Amino acid sequence: MPNLPTHMYLAYQVAERLGWGEVYDQLGSCFLGSAAPDIRAMAKWPRERTHFAPLSVASVGAGARRMFELHPELGDRRKLSPATQAFILGYISHLTADEVWIINIFRPHFDNHNLITENQVEAHIWDRALQLDMDWKARQQLDTRCQLSDIMATSEQGVDLAFLGPEMLLEWREWVCRFLSWEFTWDRLKRALNRMYRDDTATQQQVDRFIATMPSSLERVYQAIPEEKLATYQQEVVAGTLAQVQEYWGEA
């Protein structure tokens, strides 16, 4: 699934489309919300506790639907603080982005039954490489629009949620800010595959070859998955998020 810079950039696009002044005033909270479902990795929680839907999700919007079912207090936007509104907007964007990726990108191209590569390991490398390249491009786009370190400072303040306490949100915000301060490197691809194939020498050698032969290796990925498809993916995430905002908050 997409990583944090991509999630933040997609949330920014949603905020632009909405044009809500309170979201712009609380953009840091929106960005923090767009990263928050992945807090599960820090907390060592099962995925469904923060994404509200399994990886086997069958339809876009399943996670947000379950979140609002479990936490109906989120359904009345007027009763939420501006920071909480912005946070939940980013949160919905994250859930939507993951679900669109699973359904429209991963399963048709990188799933074990629909491989466009020679083997499953290579499929996972290609999948993560696309995500990381999107991250690099998303961070460039964000850096031209805002100063993330300033916007993210105190972004957890004013966010009031039943399922994420203030102490955990503070710890997560600090982790996100550290992550955003790190320079992008393709070593992240090695770490991602090592999490999937723990200490598997053959897999790491395959990743090393992919990185060593860039940009031609990445060009091979884009020959199979054109950049236009990723642009369509982003459009679908924004449209899907806006549709859910309309459904649950009655305006978009």
Side-chain angles (χ1 to χ4, degrees):
M1 270 67 69
N3 300 298
L4 301 191
T6 299
H7 279 302
M8 290 180 177
Y9 181 52
L10 290 169
Y12 186 91
Q13 292 182 65
V14 171
E16 277 193 321
R17 286 281 300 275
L18 283 173
W20 290 351
E22 56 267 42
V23 175
Y24 281 111
D25 292 343
Q26 305 288 337
L27 197 55
S29 297
C30 181
F31 286 164
L32 188 64
S34 75
D38 288 341
I39 199 173
R40 70 174 188 89
M42 183 188 76
K44 298 186 178 358
W45 290 340
R47 176 183 174 83
E48 291 174 43
R49 179 165 174 174
T50 58
H51 287 75
F52 298 102
L55 287 171
S56 59
V57 59
S59 61
V60 175
R65 181 167 57 253
R66 184 59 177 158
M67 179 178 71
F68 280 99
E69 287 174 355
L70 292 173
H71 303 283
E73 71 278 3
L74 298 177
D76 190 344
R77 177 176 168 236
R78 297 166 300 176
K79 294 182 179 179
L80 305 178
S81 69
T84 305
Q85 292 178 41
F87 185 95
I88 292 300
L89 181 67
Y91 208 103
I92 295 171
S93 175
H94 182 120
L95 300 181
T96 305
D98 278 5
E99 291 164 358
V100 175
W101 187 269
I102 291 169
I103 294 169
N104 293 352
I105 302 294
F106 183 78
R107 286 183 191 153
H109 305 294
F110 302 123
D111 188 273
N112 191 43
H113 303 291
N114 299 296
L115 291 184
I116 60 172
T117 59
E118 294 184 0
N119 55 67
Q120 186 67 74
V121 171
E122 186 176 41
H124 284 147
I125 293 172
W126 282 26
D127 177 51
R128 298 318 188 268
L130 279 178
Q131 294 168 21
L132 288 174
D133 198 45
M134 281 200 308
D135 265 14
W136 180 72
K137 294 171 181 174
R139 184 59 193 267
Q140 288 183 312
Q141 292 291 328
L142 286 170
D143 285 344
T144 65
R145 291 164 166 80
C146 58
Q147 181 56 253
L148 278 176
S149 59
D150 293 340
I151 288 176
M152 293 300 295
T154 69
S155 56
E156 81 288 356
Q157 294 183 10
V159 177
D160 183 16
L161 296 171
F163 60 93
L164 289 176
E167 296 83 3
M168 179 155 285
L169 281 178
L170 171 60
E171 185 179 359
W172 178 241
R173 192 264 296 169
E174 291 173 342
W175 189 96
V176 170
C177 288
R178 285 195 300 273
F179 173 84
L180 292 173
S181 71
W182 299 338
E183 183 179 355
F184 176 88
T185 76
W186 281 95
D187 282 345
R188 285 175 58 191
L189 185 62
K190 297 178 67 171
R191 292 194 292 272
L193 269 294
N194 192 50
R195 287 193 296 270
M196 299 182 69
Y197 300 93
R198 181 66 62 184
D199 299 325
D200 186 292
T201 301
T203 296
Q204 288 302 308
Q205 289 174 342
Q206 196 167 343
V207 178
D208 286 339
R209 286 194 296 271
F210 184 94
I211 296 173
T213 56
M214 288 183 68
S216 60
S217 56
L218 189 58
E219 289 170 355
R220 283 183 59 220
V221 180
Y222 279 115
Q223 287 172 1
I225 310 293
E227 291 194 58
E228 292 80 3
K229 192 171 189 67
L230 295 186
T232 299
Y233 160 77
Q234 294 193 30
Q235 293 165 6
E236 290 171 341
V237 172
V238 173
T241 303
L242 292 171
Q244 291 170 75
V245 170
Q246 174 70 45
E247 179 179 356
Y248 298 110
W249 283 347
E251 50 187 319

